[in-house]
Amino acid sequence: METSFMYSVDPFSPGRSGGAFSRLVSAILATAVIRCWPLLVFFSAWATAVSLISHNVYNLAIQPTLLTVIGTVLGFVISYRTTASFERYNEGRRLWSQIILGSRTLARTIWFHVPETMPSASNDPSTPEQRKARVLIEKKTVINLIEAFGVAVKHYLRGEEGVYYVDLYHLVKFLPSYALPAGLPSLVDVTSADGLSTRSPLRPRGDSNAADLTSLRDEVTSLEAPASPTGPMSPMSQLPFPNTVTSPRKVSHVKVDLPPRTSMNGRGRSYDKDRQADKGSTYSGVSGMQDENFLLPARMPPKYHLFDLFPFSLLVHALTKRGKDVKGRKAARMRAKLRSKTVTHNLPLEISLYLSSYIAALQDRNAVPPPTATNLLNALNQLVDALTGLERILTTPIPFSYRVQLWSVTVLYCLLLPFQIWSTLKWLTIPATCLASFIFFGFLVAGEEIENPFGYDKNDLNLDHFTHNIIRNELRAITALPAPHVESWAFSQFNDQIFGTEERAPPDEWMQRGLGRIQAALATI
């Protein structure tokens, strides 16, 4: 089930509703003022207290020598910090451009350079039309997996576990899971409070040869703290929903006994006559392929809440570490930091393995020449290389000691600033301190925001635009029509200005004139 609403996820689309006021509010929310205003209020109050004491009680002014020395060093250090964060931001954008390039190259090469029919074996009873239909199904399925790679990378970087999303589920539900090692940390497989072992589960996905839904539900066991594992569970608790930054901690274990399969790379197939009928998505958790209302949206940004405001934001850290489902954006970022104790599965890497199996099948069938196979492998390597680079950005934070030292020196500088400028500026000390605090802390919080540009913050990369408005639309445009033959456009009657703009003649007329006239036209400058 697919609707246009599922993919209306671009928050920066020109067609979005909202007037000038809403755009102004959105622009203000994207600035550093929203994240550092409690610090501005504090240092303004501090400067006010110093000014009142210096004016009415005792002059607290000191020599401004320290102001120049520390201010110069601090400015260079903060500039380096901001530059390092922007390099990570720019590197993330470059790697996403590489994913787009690899997707375009791989899809174009498959759709245009893989032949329409495959060589048939001597004992193959299928007709040429059936072989052509199979090739089309294979090519379209593989191109769908190319789209799924970009979508899976988006959810992977955002820590959104599982495949149950409207933009991903229908693309990968038929793939069996690989037993890959743990990848990036996420919110699945959390050790429960009662000490139960939470091993990494096999990701539940549909397969046309899998057991039916009734037998699957008998094998689903949901572990949800603090509920007792022996207590009764409602039907909704058995749904294998993925864990995201906005959902409570929940672990779903699904035992999947896949039937024996032949080679998955197309080197040979055998079908069970009793199970050829497609039973739909038996792992959907609802009623199969026709009912996918349980899927989560493609984009799930955490909303602003009371806990994002000072002083309630001071309680977020303690409540989140205790396992409370605290609302708000700050709580979502805090839960993302607590994922270091959990594991997830690398779905994009799994998809790359199936893409590689298709290329191996083409080589085994001798369906494409070696240069084409090399081009396919190079494009796939581009995708995996970009995935590795994105993981490097996500899993390499700014060193803790550097971060603490920078914040400590900045706070110390802003605390000493009113004492050093009171003798010169008098009551202007208050706005001057607020302005200096905004300059320094604004760069600090802006750098911290863009050092991980894959989330839902206002200044993060628009991953939904990359996956849906670029990759998805372009891949579907490629497969919308059969690969055109050169005769259909090179010898078109509208191609009547081949050798210049002065004489109009279609290709058929040039064919009648002969090779000599064509060479003479080419020699004319």
Side-chain angles (χ1 to χ4, degrees), residues 367-381:
V368 294
T372 302
T374 302
N375 191 22
L376 291 172
L377 290 173
N378 290 338
L380 181 57
N381 289 338

Side-chain angles (χ1 to χ4, degrees), residues 192 196-198 221-225 229 233 249-253:
S192 58
L196 292 178
S197 173
T198 55
T221 304
S222 296
L223 304 177
E224 184 174 6
M233 292 183 294
R249 293 189 176 186
K250 182 175 180 181
V251 183
S252 298
H253 288 265

Side-chain angles (χ1 to χ4, degrees), residues 26-49:
S26 179
I28 293 176
L29 293 176
T31 62
V33 178
I34 300 301
R35 295 190 61 184
C36 67
W37 71 266
L39 293 169
L40 303 183
V41 172
F42 171 78
F43 284 105
S44 297
W46 172 258
T48 302

Side-chain angles (χ1 to χ4, degrees), residues 9 29 31 81 100 106 139 149 177 183 233 237 266 296 325 347 353 389 420:
V9 294
L29 293 176
T31 62
R81 171 70 173 85
I100 295 174
L106 193 56
K139 291 165 72 172
F149 182 88
S177 264
M233 292 183 294
S237 65
L296 295 173
D325 185 21
L347 178 60
L353 299 180
Q420 302 179 73

Side-chain angles (χ1 to χ4, degrees), residues 136 264 299 333 354 469:
L136 281 177
M264 291 181 291
R299 176 180 170 86
R333 288 192 296 266
Y354 285 102
N469 293 13

Side-chain angles (χ1 to χ4, degrees), residues 49-331:
V50 172
S51 299
L52 289 174
I53 294 174
S54 299
H55 183 266
N56 299 322
V57 181
Y58 181 77
N59 188 4
L60 300 176
I62 61 176
Q63 292 296 325
T65 306
L66 193 63
L67 177 69
T68 305
V69 177
I70 299 182
T72 304
V73 176
L74 186 60
F76 280 115
V77 174
I78 292 180
S79 175
Y80 173 77
R81 171 70 173 85
T82 308
T83 302
S85 298
F86 184 75
E87 287 178 355
R88 294 163 62 94
Y89 184 94
N90 193 45
E91 179 71 6
R93 182 62 183 90
R94 187 191 67 80
L95 292 173
W96 268 102
S97 297
Q98 184 173 328
I99 290 180
I100 295 174
L101 174 61
S103 300
R104 290 169 173 171
T105 304
L106 193 56
R108 186 194 70 242
T109 306
I110 291 174
W111 193 250
F112 284 83
H113 296 274
V114 174
E116 297 181 352
T117 57
M118 296 292 173
S120 60
S122 57
N123 56 351
D124 188 2
S126 61
T127 63
E129 184 178 355
Q130 291 175 335
R131 293 196 297 270
K132 187 175 181 179
R134 173 172 291 186
V135 170
L136 281 177
I137 292 174
E138 285 184 356
K139 291 165 72 172
K140 179 58 179 175
T141 301
V142 172
I143 292 178
N144 286 345
L145 287 183
I146 298 174
E147 176 189 345
F149 182 88
V151 177
V153 170
K154 178 193 71 172
H155 290 292
Y156 184 54
L157 297 176
R158 289 175 173 173
E160 296 169 346
E161 179 69 20
V163 299
Y164 295 95
Y165 304 92
V166 293
D167 58 343
L168 178 61
Y169 178 71
H170 66 285
L171 299 173
V172 298
K173 62 183 179 180
F174 53 89
L175 297 178
S177 264
Y178 267 87
L180 292 176
L184 294 180
S186 182
L187 285 177
V188 79
D189 285 349
V190 182
T191 303
S192 58
D194 51 8
L196 292 178
S197 173
T198 55
R199 294 179 301 169
S200 181
L202 180 66
R203 180 177 62 259
R205 280 210 293 261
D207 190 276
S208 59
N209 293 331
D212 58 300
L213 182 60
T214 303
S215 61
L216 174 70
R217 282 177 173 171
D218 294 336
E219 294 179 299
V220 175
T221 304
S222 296
L223 304 177
E224 184 174 6
S228 172
T230 59
M233 292 183 294
S234 64
M236 287 301 295
S237 65
Q238 297 182 7
L239 296 181
F241 284 164
N243 288 287
T244 65
V245 295
T246 58
S247 62
R249 293 189 176 186
K250 182 175 180 181
V251 183
S252 298
H253 288 265
V254 179
K255 299 178 181 179
V256 181
D257 296 327
L258 293 176
R261 297 174 62 91
T262 56
S263 177
M264 291 181 291
N265 59 9
R267 295 187 175 121
R269 287 176 180 240
S270 63
Y271 295 91
D272 188 351
K273 299 296 183 180
D274 297 331
R275 296 200 176 210
Q276 284 187 2
D278 189 2
K279 298 180 181 179
S281 176
T282 59
Y283 291 84
S284 65
V286 185
S287 60
M289 200 169 181
Q290 301 301 323
D291 190 359
E292 296 180 357
N293 294 326
F294 65 96
L295 295 179
L296 295 173
R299 176 180 170 86
M300 296 183 298
K303 298 181 179 180
Y304 284 103
H305 194 265
L306 184 64
F307 283 101
D308 288 320
L309 301 177
F310 184 84
F312 302 102
S313 59
L314 300 177
L315 304 175
V316 170
H317 182 78
L319 294 176
T320 305
K321 293 198 69 175
R322 293 181 181 179
K324 302 295 183 180
D325 185 21
V326 184
K327 304 297 182 181
R329 297 199 169 211
K330 182 174 181 179

